[in-house]
Amino acid sequence: MIVVMKHGATARQIANVIARIEQLGFRTHLSEGVERTIIGIIGNERPLDKEQIVRWDGVEKIVPILHPFKLASRDFQPEDTVVSLNGIRIGGKAVVVMAGPCAVESRQQLLEIAQAVKAAGATILRGGAFKPRTSPYSFQGLGLEGLEILAEARAQTGLLVVTEVVSPDQVPLVGTYADILQIGARNMQNYALLQAVGKAHKPVLLKRGMMSTIEELLMSAEYILSQGNERLMLCERGIRTFETYTRNTLDINAVPLLKQLTHLPVIVDPSHGTGKWELVTAVSRAAVAAGADGLLIEVHNHPEQALSDGAQSLKPERFAELMTELRRVAEAVGRTL
Amino acid sequence: MIVVMKHGATARQIANVIARIEQLGFRTHLSEGVERTIIGIIGNERPLDKEQIVRWDGVEKIVPILHPFKLASRDFQPEDTVVSLNGIRIGGKAVVVMAGPCAVESRQQLLEIAQAVKAAGATILRGGAFKPRTSPYSFQGLGLEGLEILAEARAQTGLLVVTEVVSPDQVPLVGTYADILQIGARNMQNYALLQAVGKAHKPVLLKRGMMSTIEELLMSAEYILSQGNERLMLCERGIRTFETYTRNTLDINAVPLLKQLTHLPVIVDPSHGTGKWELVTAVSRAAVAAGADGLLIEVHNHPEQALSDGAQSLKPERFAELMTELRRVAEAVGRTL
Amino acid sequence: MIVVMKHGATARQIANVIARIEQLGFRTHLSEGVERTIIGIIGNERPLDKEQIVRWDGVEKIVPILHPFKLASRDFQPEDTVVSLNGIRIGGKAVVVMAGPCAVESRQQLLEIAQAVKAAGATILRGGAFKPRTSPYSFQGLGLEGLEILAEARAQTGLLVVTEVVSPDQVPLVGTYADILQIGARNMQNYALLQAVGKAHKPVLLKRGMMSTIEELLMSAEYILSQGNERLMLCERGIRTFETYTRNTLDINAVPLLKQLTHLPVIVDPSHGTGKWELVTAVSRAAVAAGADGLLIEVHNHPEQALSDGAQSLKPERFAELMTELRRVAEAVGRTL
Amino acid sequence: MIVVMKHGATARQIANVIARIEQLGFRTHLSEGVERTIIGIIGNERPLDKEQIVRWDGVEKIVPILHPFKLASRDFQPEDTVVSLNGIRIGGKAVVVMAGPCAVESRQQLLEIAQAVKAAGATILRGGAFKPRTSPYSFQGLGLEGLEILAEARAQTGLLVVTEVVSPDQVPLVGTYADILQIGARNMQNYALLQAVGKAHKPVLLKRGMMSTIEELLMSAEYILSQGNERLMLCERGIRTFETYTRNTLDINAVPLLKQLTHLPVIVDPSHGTGKWELVTAVSRAAVAAGADGLLIEVHNHPEQALSDGAQSLKPERFAELMTELRRVAEAVGRTL
């Protein structure tokens, strides 16, 4: 961490800053420049509160040097994390496809879709039982009944199940039915929830908030990792920008950037990332070409009647075509599907 | 709601769309233009799912006509909501000032600050006992002990207490100590929590998410109102933009805009809205000049040692000066303080 | 265009709006809903000024129905535009790669890079002679000398040349040397310049502004097309968002979206789109997988001495590897390179 | 400037970086931390290209310490710049109001509005003769005729004239008619134009780009100042965010922040900053309360027929009321109007 002193800071102010930092147990390094004096703080700066130090007399600003995340970083763990469950390896050579409806709407709907995505090559079934919706007047999910239907689909198809958990007290219940616990974008900074899944014995899929930076995503990952749960995947699902033709702007840069910064597997959700089914195929191909370890894709047998996300859901036939295209792209970049 | 058909949609597609809408119990209104045919849907469009309809054959896009919120709107309730508690009226002629530290750190800290803000003219004390923090390595609040210290400060000073609640199961506990339940920006779309405070018998201060539109803020208000809790205040606290010199960009437009769209009181938080104490005074004056019904301001007796938000906290003396300045501005716009 | 009347608009206000629209030569279509009355305007709405109409008595808002661009739209021209020059077809089956340094710095630098990108398979050489720079203290380009060096590189290598033009009076000069005139992101809404290149007899590469929507990009294209110049390509080069780990956020959604909305070729600039050379390869592959017709890539033989954009420039060897990878991805999506 | 070396950088890499910096004529300062080694560069870092240095072997990132602007900074000139012309002092105690239509549409229109704003207390008349418009099909301004009408209005009323200049070759012409040259938001980074007005002998009003940071605004100011023109004012006019209920988000924080960073006067444009006339009054009051030195307000006698910006223009009567309100707010913050 670097403390930049104000233009014209006095010798006394500089001495005081040094003394206070050393009292906190850090060594310091003074460098007097032409326009500014700066003081380097040597050691693990993460526990220091830069908002305090910036208020010390004569201080202009504080510049962190280290990434604030640690367990999630490549510095800490250089080799890739591979999340293994039931023979599926997420973060390995094969690109993993998770597909299914936004919400579980009925037994028939889910079983039909599950069969279809299985036939096309998906290995994990997605589907929401508890749905966070912008409007209190929208369908809020089937709850427990939805979880039971998911379990039935798993039994029938052999697909694993990923589903969202929305409050800490639900973690045990959802964990009974799900293979992977999903933290939705709106809950990326719901720390009570992050701590709860950090203590669970289930893999977690953590979605990036729609207006969260990569650093904040990694800090939320740090909450989960620091509770001891290392079976964690990150998911880029589009961020909010000024563009209005698409629901979100999928941040394709995030894929290689995350692969560089962290050892955790990176999943991409092109359905939320675009909000338009017509764009999902092209953006899915792009995600695999960019190095994604997996995709999370919304598929619905009747999007024109879907209770949520109809506009961005692929029909099963289109999804099957997409899988064929993805296989070719995966091979072109040295992966399999 | 308007259904815009694609350029070249067939007569059969148009007839089908009309038939399906009428099956749903709505009247329709057909208008054949030169480049596009459009179909108006007559009635309360709110329960309709535009994501479904956009998937019907021949449909290009859907244009909502009505605001999606209802209970929160001026259409529904033209006169201002005034939240009264213990003789304080929020949303009336007087501008209400809520002040105090970001977090309760100790008994001595809080009592000292409470006395100071009371002396300067604040009527409500703010202070967090449960703190959502970006980093798992930061101070997370004193919890129950913090609530007890807040209650003691109230008993000593007569100030009312506003404090944050971060999970649904905490609502009863926090409600025992707080006069106003605060929903923080990161939880604006934590719907389980919104429903819980919607059922509580306490006034609620709902902060706008840093990534949320005005419409989404009002939809979150709708969650609370639709559960029966009408003692609700909204709080503009700055949004995330590309600007990096400030922590957030305070959306001053939101103040008169919210006063136009909704009957609910509008509070402004210039501390989070700027992130820099040097800007808080000017922006507080601006908020009152723009028509805010109240302010939420962070005050700390020792910002250089504060366990959170030191950079944006005013010292008590500066806060007292601000109150003097605010009184003049309030009078200039026909309010009192 | 739809005129939405205010809740409670009077019969007289409605009649007045209808009369005024009809005076302007449009037919209208009245639809009285439960909460709002709306008036459809039938005809080519593009010349209408919605900012005027929204001020008419009783009007709440105006909703456009048609895209504001016309010549650039697929409605107007369903088949793809292919820009042909010197045997190179941009917008056809082959993906075209334009590569070279950000700025022409010297004769030796440019010739060396030109040879290298030619050898790796690029067909068009990029290089700036006039450089718009954020700081007045940065290198501003070699000007005319830079253009002459570009022409020499073309003569030596057979590569075509794309270079930026920054003011209307320079168009004839730059046009003498360049094969393709580039409009930079900062000038996307420099309308005097757009009109000047619209009258030129040279193909144009129009870069999306870092702050511009897809619709605004297409409106700027419309400026050029409406002057008669149809040899136009669009370029996605990243937009500004709140994310700070990358220089810009490359909008990968824009690729398939533009292919759907417009007939113009779509080029992607992964160098500016990421700002980091380590990300350029992955994002280039993604762009081709998403359907881009071409790439614009910064290559420098000595990035550690480059006078601009060193951080995002590939070295020639890395560029050659990228070309190999791109060839495989192009084939996987049915294209060639 | 601080060079942060990669985790695990070798002694040789560190020595090389130091040697190269010293070759450039700077002293260095080495600080070996636990996780990272950093090298401080001592001296005026502004001419250094951080994009080069980040490519040197073993370098992770570069952290600038100094603001990149100099002439515009308070460090360089601590006392306020006051732009005086014809007895009006912009940047002094009095808040200056510039008002008038978006575009000059006709002699009668402009003269009528000029009389009205003069009567209400404005001292400067705004009005565009050359209009940059998003659509090529929109009204583009009267050009020279518009300038002549502005001059006539000045002669009749004694108001000074501010009007936009959109290309470098127009600067002499516009300068003949205008008292203040306006650089519009879309041209904030049109450097050819900035250099041209930097050489002109007229005061300049530089508007912030709709997606430009404060730092970029100050860098554009630096272009003008470095050409020798010191009679410069900055204008906050709203930035582009994700919010869609307003045209832009007026950045009220920018007012006190700019007053802190720079000595230049700060003007606020609440018309573009909101895009809605109903919000202009409240936001104008806020701007004055926040410390703005002036306002730029759109006034039109017939907004319902205005050829541009009708939705955000005040009618003369409303403007007169606003002036009365502003006077009270100005006095409350120790200013006059």
Side-chain angles (χ1 to χ4, degrees):
Chain A
M1 195 174 274
I2 300 288
V3 180
V4 182
M5 300 300 293
K6 282 181 183 156
H7 184 65
T10 64
R12 190 193 181 90
Q13 288 172 331
I14 294 168
N16 273 341
V17 167
I18 291 172
R20 292 177 78 157
I21 294 169
E22 293 181 348
Q23 273 174 354
L24 293 168
F26 291 84
R27 281 185 301 124
T28 59
H29 203 104
L30 180 69
S31 171
E32 298 191 25
V34 179
E35 300 184 41
R36 293 287 186 286
T37 290
I38 66 177
I39 300 161
I41 301 181
I42 298 173
N44 176 12
E45 69 194 41
R46 291 187 190 86
L48 287 175
D49 185 328
K50 67 178 191 161
E51 300 227 354
Q52 277 180 19
I53 302 173
V54 81
R55 295 303 293 273
W56 296 356
D57 280 350
V59 173
E60 180 174 277
K61 64 175 174 182
I62 307 299
V63 181
I65 294 300
L66 303 179
H67 288 306
F69 48 89
K70 181 160 184 157
L71 305 176
S73 74
R74 283 266 180 210
D75 279 8
F76 180 79
Q77 180 187 315
E79 66 281 3
D80 286 351
T81 285
V82 177
V83 177
S84 293
L85 74 166
N86 250 38
I88 298 176
R89 290 167 44 86
I90 305 170
K93 194 188 177 194
V95 176
V96 173
V97 178
M98 315 179 182
C102 174
V104 181
E105 298 170 13
S106 72
R107 190 172 168 276
Q108 194 194 340
Q109 172 241 24
L110 190 74
L111 295 181
E112 220 174 289
I113 297 172
Q115 300 287 1
V117 302
K118 163 91 178 177
T123 49
I124 301 179
L125 176 67
R126 62 152 291 153
F130 297 94
K131 297 301 307 169
R133 302 299 298 276
T134 309
S135 167
Y137 310 125
S138 298
F139 175 63
Q140 311 269 325
L142 294 182
L144 178 57
E145 187 191 344
L147 294 176
E148 286 168 351
I149 295 172
L150 284 164
E152 186 179 349
R154 174 175 47 195
Q156 270 200 17
T157 59
L159 293 167
L160 299 184
V161 165
V162 56
T163 196
E164 183 166 356
V165 55
V166 298
S167 77
D169 54 323
Q170 278 178 350
V171 172
L173 175 71
V174 177
T176 313
Y177 292 88
D179 299 292
I180 302 173
L181 299 171
Q182 178 182 315
I183 302 294
R186 287 180 182 76
N187 280 316
M188 193 200 87
Q189 295 191 316
N190 181 338
Y191 301 114
L193 183 58
L194 297 182
Q195 284 173 324
V197 300
K199 287 175 191 137
H201 299 284
K202 287 280 175 181
V204 174
L205 176 79
L206 174 65
K207 297 188 91 172
R208 179 181 183 184
M210 80 170 83
M211 217 158 170
S212 299
T213 60
I214 295 283
E215 186 170 295
E216 288 167 341
L217 171 61
L218 290 168
M219 290 308 288
S220 288
E222 196 84 3
Y223 262 91
I224 296 170
L225 295 169
S226 65
Q227 297 294 327
N229 191 343
E230 295 172 0
R231 296 201 292 164
L232 178 57
M233 299 153 254
L234 306 178
C235 180
E236 161 60 33
R237 45 76 73 203
I239 55 174
R240 178 165 276 182
T241 67
F242 57 82
E243 178 57 58
T244 55
Y245 274 20
T246 46
R247 182 172 174 180
N248 291 294
T249 297
L250 191 118
D251 182 2
I252 195 76
N253 295 352
V255 179
L257 182 61
L258 282 169
K259 297 302 290 180
Q260 185 183 44
L261 293 171
T262 182
H263 49 86
L264 298 168
V266 176
I267 311 297
V268 170
D269 173 350
S271 306
H272 287 86
T274 61
K276 294 192 165 176
W277 71 270
E278 304 97 311
L279 308 180
V280 167
T281 295
V283 172
S284 296
R285 290 188 317 241
V288 171
D293 296 306
L295 292 171
L296 185 66
I297 301 178
E298 290 189 346
V299 176
H300 200 287
N301 45 359
H302 299 294
E304 71 284 1
Q305 298 169 14
L307 298 183
S308 63
D309 284 356
Q312 69 195 34
S313 297
L314 294 183
K315 292 186 188 172
E317 315 82 71
R318 193 70 206 83
F319 175 68
E321 290 167 26
L322 168 59
M323 290 295 282
T324 306
E325 296 184 37
L326 286 182
R327 228 160 258 129
R328 287 198 292 265
V329 176
E331 279 161 26
V333 297
R335 308 285 287 260
T336 60
L337 192 76
Chain B
M1 195 174 274
I2 300 288
V3 179
V4 182
M5 301 299 294
K6 282 182 183 156
H7 185 64
T10 63
R12 190 192 181 91
Q13 288 172 330
I14 294 168
N16 274 342
V17 168
I18 291 173
R20 292 177 79 158
I21 295 169
E22 293 182 348
Q23 273 174 355
L24 294 168
F26 291 85
R27 280 186 301 125
T28 60
H29 203 104
L30 179 70
S31 170
E32 299 191 24
V34 177
E35 299 184 41
R36 291 289 186 286
T37 290
I38 67 177
I39 300 162
I41 302 180
I42 298 173
N44 177 10
E45 68 194 43
R46 290 187 191 86
L48 287 174
D49 185 327
K50 67 178 190 160
E51 300 225 355
Q52 278 180 17
I53 301 174
V54 82
R55 294 303 293 272
W56 297 357
D57 280 350
V59 173
E60 181 174 278
K61 66 175 172 180
I62 308 298
V63 181
I65 295 301
L66 304 179
H67 287 307
F69 48 89
K70 183 162 182 154
L71 305 177
S73 74
R74 283 267 180 209
D75 279 9
F76 179 78
Q77 180 187 316
E79 66 280 4
D80 285 352
T81 285
V82 176
V83 177
S84 293
L85 73 165
N86 251 39
I88 297 176
R89 289 166 46 84
I90 305 170
K93 194 187 177 194
V95 175
V96 173
V97 177
M98 315 179 183
C102 174
V104 181
E105 298 170 12
S106 72
R107 190 171 169 277
Q108 192 193 342
Q109 170 240 25
L110 190 75
L111 296 180
E112 219 174 291
I113 297 173
Q115 301 287 1
V117 301
K118 163 92 179 178
T123 50
I124 302 178
L125 176 67
R126 64 151 291 154
F130 298 95
K131 296 301 307 170
R133 302 299 299 275
T134 307
S135 167
Y137 310 125
S138 300
F139 174 62
Q140 311 268 328
L142 294 182
L144 178 57
E145 186 191 344
L147 295 177
E148 284 167 352
I149 296 172
L150 284 165
E152 185 178 350
R154 176 175 46 196
Q156 272 199 15
T157 60
L159 292 167
L160 299 184
V161 165
V162 56
T163 196
E164 183 166 355
V165 55
V166 298
S167 77
D169 54 322
Q170 279 178 348
V171 172
L173 175 72
V174 177
T176 312
Y177 292 87
D179 299 291
I180 302 174
L181 299 171
Q182 179 181 315
I183 302 294
R186 287 180 182 76
N187 280 315
M188 193 200 87
Q189 296 191 314
N190 181 338
Y191 301 116
L193 184 57
L194 297 183
Q195 284 174 324
V197 299
K199 287 176 191 138
H201 298 285
K202 286 281 175 180
V204 174
L205 177 78
L206 174 65
K207 297 188 92 172
R208 180 182 182 182
M210 81 170 81
M211 60 187 90
S212 300
T213 61
I214 296 283
E215 187 170 295
E216 289 168 341
L217 171 60
L218 290 169
M219 290 309 289
S220 288
E222 196 83 4
Y223 262 90
I224 297 170
L225 294 170
S226 66
Q227 297 294 328
N229 192 343
E230 295 172 359
R231 295 201 292 164
L232 178 57
M233 298 154 254
L234 306 178
C235 180
E236 161 60 33
R237 46 76 75 205
I239 56 174
R240 176 165 279 180
T241 67
F242 56 84
E243 179 57 58
T244 53
Y245 274 20
T246 47
R247 180 173 175 181
N248 291 293
T249 298
L250 191 118
D251 182 2
I252 195 77
N253 294 352
V255 178
L257 183 61
L258 282 170
K259 297 302 289 180
Q260 183 183 44
L261 292 171
T262 183
H263 48 86
L264 299 167
V266 176
I267 311 299
V268 169
D269 173 348
S271 306
H272 287 86
T274 61
K276 294 192 165 177
W277 73 269
E278 304 97 312
L279 308 181
V280 167
T281 296
V283 172
S284 296
R285 290 188 316 240
V288 171
D293 297 306
L295 292 171
L296 185 67
I297 300 177
E298 290 189 346
V299 176
H300 200 288
N301 44 359
H302 299 293
E304 72 284 1
Q305 299 170 13
L307 297 183
S308 62
D309 284 356
Q312 67 194 34
S313 297
L314 294 182
K315 293 187 188 171
E317 318 80 73
R318 192 70 205 84
F319 175 69
E321 290 167 26
L322 169 58
M323 290 296 282
T324 307
E325 296 185 37
L326 286 182
R327 228 161 259 130
R328 287 198 292 265
V329 175
E331 279 161 26
V333 298
R335 308 285 288 259
T336 61
L337 193 75
Chain C
M1 196 174 272
I2 300 288
V3 180
V4 182
M5 301 299 294
K6 282 181 182 154
H7 185 64
T10 63
R12 190 192 180 91
Q13 288 172 329
I14 294 168
N16 273 341
V17 167
I18 291 173
R20 291 178 78 158
I21 294 168
E22 293 182 347
Q23 274 173 355
L24 293 168
F26 290 85
R27 281 186 300 123
T28 59
H29 203 105
L30 180 70
S31 171
E32 299 190 25
V34 177
E35 298 185 41
R36 291 289 187 285
T37 290
I38 67 176
I39 299 162
I41 301 181
I42 299 173
N44 177 10
E45 68 194 42
R46 290 187 191 85
L48 287 174
D49 185 328
K50 68 178 191 160
E51 300 225 354
Q52 278 181 18
I53 302 174
V54 82
R55 295 303 293 271
W56 297 357
D57 281 351
V59 173
E60 180 173 278
K61 66 175 172 180
I62 308 298
V63 181
I65 295 300
L66 304 180
H67 287 308
F69 48 88
K70 183 162 183 154
L71 304 176
S73 73
R74 282 266 180 210
D75 279 8
F76 180 78
Q77 180 187 315
E79 66 280 4
D80 285 352
T81 285
V82 176
V83 176
S84 292
L85 72 165
N86 251 37
I88 298 176
R89 290 166 46 83
I90 306 170
K93 194 187 177 193
V95 175
V96 174
V97 177
M98 315 178 183
C102 174
V104 182
E105 298 170 13
S106 72
R107 189 171 168 276
Q108 193 193 342
Q109 170 240 26
L110 191 74
L111 296 180
E112 218 173 292
I113 297 172
Q115 300 287 2
V117 301
K118 164 91 179 178
T123 50
I124 301 179
L125 176 66
R126 63 150 292 153
F130 298 94
K131 298 300 308 168
R133 303 299 300 276
T134 308
S135 167
Y137 310 124
S138 299
F139 174 63
Q140 311 269 326
L142 293 182
L144 178 57
E145 187 190 344
L147 294 177
E148 285 167 351
I149 295 171
L150 284 165
E152 186 179 349
R154 176 175 47 196
Q156 271 199 16
T157 59
L159 292 167
L160 299 184
V161 165
V162 56
T163 196
E164 183 166 355
V165 56
V166 298
S167 76
D169 55 321
Q170 280 178 348
V171 173
L173 175 71
V174 177
T176 312
Y177 293 88
D179 298 291
I180 303 174
L181 299 171
Q182 179 181 316
I183 302 295
R186 287 181 181 75
N187 280 316
M188 193 201 86
Q189 295 192 315
N190 181 339
Y191 301 115
L193 184 58
L194 298 182
Q195 283 173 325
V197 299
K199 286 176 192 138
H201 299 284
K202 286 281 175 181
V204 174
L205 177 79
L206 174 65
K207 296 188 91 172
R208 181 182 182 182
M210 80 170 80
M211 60 185 93
S212 299
T213 61
I214 295 283
E215 187 170 295
E216 288 168 341
L217 172 60
L218 290 169
M219 290 308 290
S220 288
E222 196 84 4
Y223 262 91
I224 296 170
L225 295 170
S226 65
Q227 297 293 328
N229 192 343
E230 295 172 358
R231 295 201 292 164
L232 178 57
M233 298 153 254
L234 306 178
C235 180
E236 161 60 33
R237 44 77 73 205
I239 56 174
R240 177 165 278 181
T241 67
F242 57 83
E243 178 57 58
T244 53
Y245 273 20
T246 47
R247 181 173 174 181
N248 290 294
T249 298
L250 190 117
D251 182 2
I252 195 76
N253 294 351
V255 179
L257 183 61
L258 282 169
K259 297 302 289 180
Q260 183 183 45
L261 292 171
T262 182
H263 48 86
L264 298 168
V266 176
I267 312 299
V268 169
D269 173 349
S271 306
H272 287 87
T274 61
K276 294 193 165 175
W277 73 270
E278 304 97 311
L279 308 181
V280 168
T281 295
V283 172
S284 296
R285 290 188 316 239
V288 171
D293 297 306
L295 292 171
L296 185 67
I297 300 178
E298 290 189 347
V299 176
H300 200 288
N301 43 359
H302 300 293
E304 72 284 1
Q305 298 169 15
L307 298 183
S308 62
D309 285 355
Q312 68 195 34
S313 297
L314 294 182
K315 292 187 188 170
E317 317 81 74
R318 193 69 205 85
F319 176 69
E321 290 167 26
L322 168 59
M323 290 296 281
T324 307
E325 296 185 35
L326 285 183
R327 228 161 258 129
R328 287 198 292 265
V329 176
E331 279 160 27
V333 298
R335 308 285 288 259
T336 60
L337 193 76
Chain D
M1 195 174 275
I2 300 288
V3 180
V4 182
M5 300 301 292
K6 282 182 182 154
H7 184 65
T10 64
R12 190 191 180 90
Q13 288 171 330
I14 294 168
N16 273 341
V17 167
I18 291 172
R20 292 178 78 158
I21 293 169
E22 293 181 349
Q23 274 173 354
L24 293 168
F26 290 85
R27 281 186 300 124
T28 59
H29 204 103
L30 180 69
S31 171
E32 299 192 25
V34 178
E35 300 184 39
R36 293 285 187 285
T37 290
I38 67 177
I39 299 162
I41 302 181
I42 299 174
N44 177 10
E45 68 194 43
R46 291 187 190 86
L48 287 174
D49 185 327
K50 66 177 190 161
E51 301 227 353
Q52 278 180 18
I53 302 172
V54 82
R55 295 302 293 272
W56 297 357
D57 280 351
V59 173
E60 180 174 276
K61 65 175 174 182
I62 308 297
V63 181
I65 295 300
L66 303 180
H67 288 307
F69 48 89
K70 182 160 184 156
L71 305 176
S73 74
R74 283 266 181 211
D75 279 8
F76 180 78
Q77 180 187 315
E79 66 281 3
D80 286 351
T81 285
V82 176
V83 177
S84 292
L85 74 166
N86 250 38
I88 297 177
R89 290 166 45 85
I90 305 171
K93 193 187 177 194
V95 176
V96 173
V97 178
M98 315 178 183
C102 173
V104 181
E105 298 170 13
S106 73
R107 189 170 170 277
Q108 193 193 340
Q109 173 240 24
L110 191 75
L111 296 181
E112 219 174 291
I113 297 172
Q115 300 288 0
V117 301
K118 163 90 179 178
T123 49
I124 301 179
L125 177 65
R126 61 151 291 154
F130 298 94
K131 296 301 307 170
R133 302 299 299 277
T134 308
S135 167
Y137 310 126
S138 298
F139 175 64
Q140 310 270 327
L142 293 182
L144 179 57
E145 187 190 344
L147 295 177
E148 286 168 350
I149 294 172
L150 284 165
E152 186 179 349
R154 175 175 48 196
Q156 269 200 18
T157 59
L159 293 166
L160 300 184
V161 165
V162 57
T163 196
E164 184 166 354
V165 55
V166 297
S167 78
D169 55 322
Q170 279 178 350
V171 171
L173 175 71
V174 176
T176 313
Y177 292 89
D179 298 291
I180 303 173
L181 299 170
Q182 179 181 315
I183 301 294
R186 287 180 181 76
N187 281 315
M188 193 200 87
Q189 295 190 316
N190 181 337
Y191 301 115
L193 183 57
L194 297 182
Q195 284 172 325
V197 301
K199 287 174 192 139
H201 299 284
K202 287 281 175 180
V204 174
L205 177 79
L206 174 66
K207 297 187 91 172
R208 180 181 182 184
M210 80 171 84
M211 217 157 169
S212 300
T213 60
I214 295 283
E215 187 170 295
E216 288 167 341
L217 171 60
L218 290 169
M219 290 308 289
S220 288
E222 195 84 3
Y223 262 91
I224 296 170
L225 295 169
S226 66
Q227 297 294 327
N229 191 343
E230 296 172 0
R231 295 201 292 164
L232 178 57
M233 300 155 252
L234 306 177
C235 181
E236 160 60 34
R237 46 74 75 203
I239 56 174
R240 177 165 277 181
T241 67
F242 58 82
E243 178 58 58
T244 54
Y245 274 20
T246 47
R247 182 173 174 180
N248 291 294
T249 298
L250 191 118
D251 182 2
I252 195 77
N253 294 352
V255 178
L257 182 61
L258 282 169
K259 298 301 290 179
Q260 183 183 44
L261 292 171
T262 183
H263 49 86
L264 298 168
V266 177
I267 312 297
V268 170
D269 173 349
S271 306
H272 287 87
T274 61
K276 295 192 165 176
W277 71 269
E278 304 98 311
L279 308 181
V280 167
T281 295
V283 172
S284 297
R285 290 189 316 241
V288 171
D293 297 306
L295 293 171
L296 185 67
I297 300 177
E298 290 189 346
V299 177
H300 200 287
N301 44 359
H302 299 292
E304 71 284 1
Q305 298 169 14
L307 297 183
S308 63
D309 284 356
Q312 69 195 34
S313 298
L314 294 182
K315 292 187 188 172
E317 316 82 71
R318 192 70 207 83
F319 175 69
E321 290 167 27
L322 168 59
M323 291 295 283
T324 306
E325 295 185 37
L326 286 182
R327 229 160 258 128
R328 287 198 292 265
V329 176
E331 280 161 26
V333 297
R335 308 285 287 260
T336 60
L337 191 76

